[in-house]
């Protein structure tokens, strides 16, 4: 997306899609957290070592923090010039804070670092789930898939 030239047909479309999906993801994450508060966390699997439990707990916390950090920094990049974020033409999220000195660059650097940290953590999270399924042969992955 960031490497597209002005004459590429995705030049406008890709960022629009990226931002719209990102805002919807914010709504989905907020709904997920609200549901978690209402329904509580699923009971932990019996026999899981305490260290693994702790690692899982902190991974989940960091995944949510990173998600919000990436989305909020993306919002700050997009609204640095005072323009709202359009979501698929359905609605617009107004610019709340704009015009800070270097806002676009600072938010852009934060967005990049947090996004790649999030992607790395998501990969580790997926690998850990596969380890549970293939080596420990427990129900962790099935539970993650809602089974
Ligand atoms: C979990 C959600 C998101 C992820 C994983 C993500 C990831 C990324 C990545 C990897 C880049 C490329 C960074 C670079 O190479 O400089 C990027 C760029 C960008 N993102 Fe996001 N993003 C997310 C959400 C959002 C949201 C919600 C918005 C705006 C409302 C947004 C706005 C932007 C903009 C404007 C750029 C271009 C920055 C530039 O040109 O320097 N992103 N995003």
């Amino acid at each position: 997306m960031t490497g597209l030239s002005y004459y590429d047909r995705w030049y406008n479309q890709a960022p629009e899609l990226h931002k719209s999906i990102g805002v919807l993801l914010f709504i989905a994450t907020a709904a997920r957290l609200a549901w978690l508060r209402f329904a509580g966390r699923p009971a932990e699997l019996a026999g899981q070592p305490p260290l693994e439990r702790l690692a899982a707990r902190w991974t989940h916390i960091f995944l949510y923090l990173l998600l919000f950090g990436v989305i909020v920094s993306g919002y700050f990049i997009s609204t640095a010039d005072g323009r709202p974020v359009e979501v698929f033409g359905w609605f617009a999220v107004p610019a709340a804070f704009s015009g800070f000195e270097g806002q676009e660059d600072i938010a852009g650097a934060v967005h990049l670092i947090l996004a790649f940290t999030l992607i790395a953590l998501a990969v580790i999270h997926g690998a850990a789930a596969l380890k549970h399924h293939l080596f420990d042969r427990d129900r962790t992955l099935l539970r993650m898939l809602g089974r």
Side-chain angles (χ1 to χ4, degrees):
M1 182 182 72
T2 54
L4 295 174
S5 82
Y6 182 76
Y7 298 101
D8 197 297
R9 72 183 186 90
W10 280 98
Y11 182 76
N12 285 318
Q13 254 172 319
E16 292 310 318
L17 206 62
H18 180 98
K19 291 187 268 184
S20 297
I21 293 172
V23 172
L24 293 186
L25 193 59
F26 175 81
I27 297 169
T29 309
R32 164 75 187 142
L33 287 178
W35 173 253
L36 211 58
R37 197 158 175 76
F38 171 73
R41 295 197 312 122
E44 277 158 2
L45 267 188
Q48 213 180 10
L51 202 66
E52 238 175 61
R53 251 179 231 193
L54 198 71
R57 182 93 188 94
W58 279 100
T59 303
H60 295 151
I61 292 172
F62 274 117
L63 280 172
Y64 283 116
L65 287 177
L66 284 167
L67 257 176
F68 277 112
V70 173
I71 294 170
V72 170
S73 56
Y75 168 78
F76 281 134
I77 312 171
S78 309
T79 53
D81 58 2
R83 279 187 297 173
V85 180
E86 288 286 341
V87 181
F88 291 119
W90 301 335
F91 63 93
V93 185
F97 308 94
S98 54
F100 288 109
E101 178 88 22
Q103 178 172 333
E104 203 171 337
D105 294 338
I106 298 167
V110 172
H111 194 67
L112 177 70
I113 293 166
L114 294 188
F116 281 106
T117 312
L118 173 64
I119 291 165
L121 198 58
V123 169
I124 294 170
H125 189 240
L130 283 177
K131 175 232 170 222
H132 274 280
H133 194 69
L134 300 174
F135 296 104
D136 304 342
R137 297 189 178 274
D138 63 24
R139 295 193 45 80
T140 304
L141 183 63
L142 296 176
R143 281 160 45 119
M144 285 166 75
L145 296 172
R147 304 237 200 106

